[in-house]
Amino acid sequence: MAAPPRRPLLTLLAGLLVVASLATLAEAIYEDQVGLADWHQKYIGKVKQAVYHSQKSGRRRVVVLTEENVIASLDLRSGDIFWRHVIDKNDLLDQLSLSLGKYVLTLSSGGTILRAWNLPDGQMIWETNLQTSTASNPQLHVMPNSKVTKDNLVLVSAGRWIYAVSSIDGSISWEKELSLDGLETKQILQSPENDIVYAVGIARSSKLALYHLSAKTGEVLKDIQESLPGELSGEIVLGSDDVLVALNKARSSLFLIKFNSGRISYNKVHVSDLVQDLSGTFKLQSLSNGVIALQTPSTVSLLKLKDTDGLEVVQRFDQPAALSDALTIAEKDQAFAVVRHVGSQIEFIVKFTSDVSSEIIREKVNIDQHRGNVEKVFLNSYIRTDKSHGFRALVVMEDHSLLLIQQGKVVWSREDGLASIVDVTTSELPVEKDGVSVADVEHNLFEWLKGHMLKLKGTLMLANADEVAAIQALRLKSSEKNKMTRDHNGFRKLLIVLTKAGKVIALHTGDGRIIWSNLLPSLRASRFGVMPSALRIYQWQVPHHSVMRENPSVLVVGKSGAESSAPGVFSILDSYSGEELNAMKLDHSVVQIIPLTLKDLSEQRLHLIVDSNSNAHLYPKSPDALDVFLHEMPNLYFYSVDILANVIRGYSLQKSCDIEGDEYCFSTKELWSIIFPSDSERIAISETRKMNEVVHTQAKTIGDHDVMYKYLSKNLVFVATVSPKAAGDIGSALPEEASLVAYLIDAVTGRILHRVTHHGAQGPIHAVLSENWVVYHYFNLRAHRFEMAVIEIYDQSRADNKDVMKLILGKHNLSAPITSYAGPEVVVKSQSYFFTHSVKAMAVTQTAKGITSKQLLIGTISDQVLALDKRYLDPRRSANPTQQEKEEGIIPLTDSLPIIPQVLFWS
């Protein structure tokens, strides 16, 4: 089974665009207008590689590559973004480097695309496509200026191929395909004494190969091969100038491989002989000068080479720690950093590889406790005024945040976990009451008094520059749109987001500032020994009436592992403070999460969790919630979409469960299924109405004063399928081979209410379902343009209610119950329009009473947010509307939807 379609990420922006959505045409604002009425923030994601560019004059910067496939240049002084590029997910970034002090080099797509970017402004200088064999770990190595050429040659290795590329213009100087079948190059090294390039690779897991190549021509000067006993894991690091350290496939032994006078010799060392209590997975890291780090999730051991006789442990850290790569300080000496947690602080240690037992720096730094463990460290040095070496470090935390630490303090920090938002919900702010100080909500007493003292100093002209800036920040924070209390129209809210790292962050819709954040212990890897995953976030308790004095809360649902059978994880947090109120590890898996519209007496919302055994579990587990649920259970149905099996199934709930003694567990009964023929249709998308959507009126009065009744069923499901050949990227199928089929299905009975086929159409498909209509976006291969189609469905069984006499005599059926089991008499109206943009996400505005006209919120591929009036997607539009239709407000038909080309960029 699959979970219902996830809520579009664009709902995060709905509150910010409600005012703009009242305009007639689709509108947005320019990026330089952001901050006047709205706000705009940029993030980059979890950093996995960083390269410093510290020059004596000008801006110091660090260039980073992240897990969100972003390359960015950051100001080393403040952490601000100079420039950034979000690379397409199909073009994964592999490696990053600098060349000639002015080019940023990136290797992507498995070593097949090499690009150079201008360091100051991020403009792309050149791009070179390379032919490589399949490689799991492509290498990028920039050769320093030498006798070979005045240019810095860039060496790229992937599989059996090695390329030398000019860093100035991207031209290929030479290329070489090595002869050994199945070879995968692991290391590219360069001799400082001559123009020889060394390539080390593994073939068929057991054969080691060393190639000597000319740096001028790529000619193979020497080829050395040696078969090793057992298979290698592919993890190889450089121990010293002539010794490699390789890990075997069983991850129990290390091979010390020495190259001497054209021969290969090796010695085998058991890992258990070095570290007796080693447990879990570990990795190797070279620190040069014969120093190697052996890292596990809980320990770090520093090993020293003893020629080829073996290794010895010179130091061990028994806490989780992260090590930086070696940084060249002197001609024959290098430094590295160790950062680890010590109580509520992190400890920053710098050592020289020539003397691991001594320390250059040992500093303790205070950090926010909701950041988790240190995961990566990137060391950088600078020259102090006394000509000695100082050190700073870029630190990547468990919550994906980025810190720069220097001289015992955090210089700046970035909350880059916000680049990987998994889910989002909203929370109302507290009501401002007469006689109650807002300071109780906004600040503690000390901060409240501090703010008043600052304002007093400003009034008396006694404030310095920093205090003036703090006063301005306080005034901005206390402005009407940034208050921490509810406004009359309900525009001010908290956006509560759940990130991939398992951190929950509350943002204020007024200015985007972070109100609180909490890295959930229940979603941290150290809790269960495996990598948990965050799934969804829901409103758990929204206080009204008798529980009005209680704070609202949210529910975070996750899994304690990657498998479908992994037990679920619950965490309940206070929406105002972020405090974790309750956390539990479930005794069943989480396959589908069904939020219900039902509430218990404490205003807690009921949720059903469907596990891998098709049992449904009710939460919260309280007698009151059980009574409410049992009363409504005969009217509850749900469906699942199995994309792999190409089937949709509908279910009802039974009173019994296979788990004995668990009265909150219910078995499910399959009522219907729709199996799509795999040779002609593949499920692409499914959408349903929001459970809390409010519809103001069920009737629609048209120009001739006739009435059309909307088919309003919360069990209506939209499903779109595409032909198998059209399931790929745009252009992967011919127009004759592509088709898109749209379905409207009743989730209770499985009855198909409407079906329409678009020939020559292809995905990606995005859709939104609201009230009695659905809008979906796709690509028309015949017209070579994107299209948006709309379907509106009306209830024909209520057509008799238009008789005034029946209304007077009470013989109408307006109050008759609606049942899905009675075959509905529906009439469908549809239309399609050209649309000029490719779409990432779609959503629809929602108001408390459902009175305001609907606006479509469209996130485009170019990171624009557009608000489009639903009236432009009225299927009754015609080229020559009648006078009655004009009076009704129907817009004359055009083949394209009008878009004003103003842009609002968002991250």
Side-chain angles (χ1 to χ4, degrees), residues 588-847:
H588 57 82
S589 59
V590 177
V591 175
Q592 189 170 348
I593 309 164
I594 306 173
L596 304 176
T597 55
L598 307 175
K599 299 180 182 179
D600 62 11
L601 291 178
S602 63
E603 298 286 343
Q604 291 180 342
R605 296 192 173 183
L606 275 57
H607 293 73
L608 279 179
I609 307 296
V610 182
D611 62 20
S612 56
N613 297 320
S614 297
N615 291 325
H617 302 263
L618 176 66
Y619 292 92
K621 291 188 174 184
S622 65
D624 179 40
L626 183 61
D627 291 342
V628 174
F629 178 78
L630 290 176
H631 182 264
E632 294 293 335
M633 192 176 72
N635 297 321
L636 295 178
Y637 302 86
F638 70 96
Y639 73 97
S640 68
V641 180
D642 191 334
I643 294 179
L644 295 178
N646 214 34
V647 61
I648 301 178
R649 297 181 176 92
Y651 301 88
S652 65
L653 298 167
Q654 306 295 309
K655 292 186 178 180
S656 61
C657 185
D658 296 337
I659 303 176
E660 187 175 344
D662 189 352
E663 59 181 337
Y664 300 97
C665 178
F666 303 88
S667 61
T668 60
K669 178 183 179 181
E670 183 176 327
L671 299 178
W672 56 266
S673 63
I674 300 176
I675 303 174
F676 296 94
S678 299
D679 57 342
S680 59
E681 294 183 58
R682 300 295 302 175
I683 297 176
I685 189 175
S686 65
E687 287 289 342
T688 187
R689 282 179 58 191
K690 292 182 180 178
M691 298 298 292
N692 60 345
E693 183 182 38
V694 177
V695 180
H696 176 61
T697 176
Q698 60 179 317
K700 180 177 181 179
T701 305
I702 58 178
D704 59 0
H705 304 294
D706 197 1
V707 178
M708 301 174 66
Y709 291 94
K710 303 174 184 177
Y711 182 78
L712 298 174
S713 171
K714 292 192 175 181
N715 299 311
L716 188 65
V717 180
F718 169 78
V719 177
T721 65
V722 294
S723 56
K725 290 187 177 180
D729 296 331
I730 294 175
S732 60
L734 297 174
E736 297 77 17
E737 301 170 330
S739 64
L740 183 155
V741 185
Y743 296 87
L744 291 177
I745 301 172
D746 188 292
V748 175
T749 62
R751 183 182 288 111
I752 296 176
L753 302 177
H754 180 66
R755 178 182 185 273
V756 61
T757 302
H758 300 271
H759 295 287
Q762 187 178 10
I765 304 169
H766 298 274
V768 61
L769 178 59
S770 177
E771 295 190 356
N772 67 319
W773 53 266
V774 60
V775 173
Y776 51 102
H777 177 277
Y778 56 92
F779 188 77
N780 188 329
L781 289 170
R782 298 183 188 276
H784 302 286
R785 298 176 70 176
F786 289 101
E787 287 186 359
M788 291 184 75
V790 57
I791 300 174
E792 292 187 357
I793 182 169
Y794 294 92
D795 189 351
Q796 196 68 9
S797 64
R798 295 174 178 263
D800 293 340
N801 295 331
K802 293 177 287 187
D803 192 323
V804 177
M805 290 304 297
K806 287 187 176 182
L807 292 173
I808 295 174
L809 298 174
K811 295 182 178 181
H812 59 81
N813 65 347
L814 284 177
S815 60
I818 300 174
T819 172
S820 293
Y821 287 104
E825 300 177 34
V826 297
V827 60
V828 172
K829 297 182 180 296
S830 60
Q831 183 62 273
S832 60
Y833 307 89
F834 289 127
F835 190 68
T836 55
H837 295 278
S838 177
V839 169
K840 277 185 178 178
M842 290 175 61
V844 63
T845 56
Q846 184 177 346
T847 55

Side-chain angles (χ1 to χ4, degrees), residues 376-393:
K376 285 185 173 63
V377 181
F378 303 96
L379 186 64
N380 180 237
S381 67
Y382 60 93
I383 303 298
R384 298 192 181 106
T385 54
D386 61 357
K387 305 301 180 181
S388 63
H389 284 282
F391 294 91
R392 60 171 75 95

Side-chain angles (χ1 to χ4, degrees), residues 516-576:
W516 55 260
S517 63
N518 192 345
L519 180 62
L520 301 180
S522 55
L523 290 177
R524 294 181 61 184
S526 56
R527 174 87 177 230
F528 304 112
V530 293
M531 183 58 68
S533 58
L535 297 177
R536 300 294 294 271
I537 184 169
Y538 298 95
Q539 291 182 347
W540 176 253
Q541 185 179 31
V542 183
H544 294 91
H545 310 299
S546 61
V547 292
M548 189 65 187
R549 291 185 175 273
E550 296 185 20
N551 289 350
S553 55
V554 294
L555 168 69
V556 176
V557 183
K559 293 196 303 183
S560 59
E563 303 82 11
S564 61
S565 59
V569 176
F570 264 24
S571 181
I572 300 172
L573 291 88
D574 187 302
S575 296
Y576 292 164

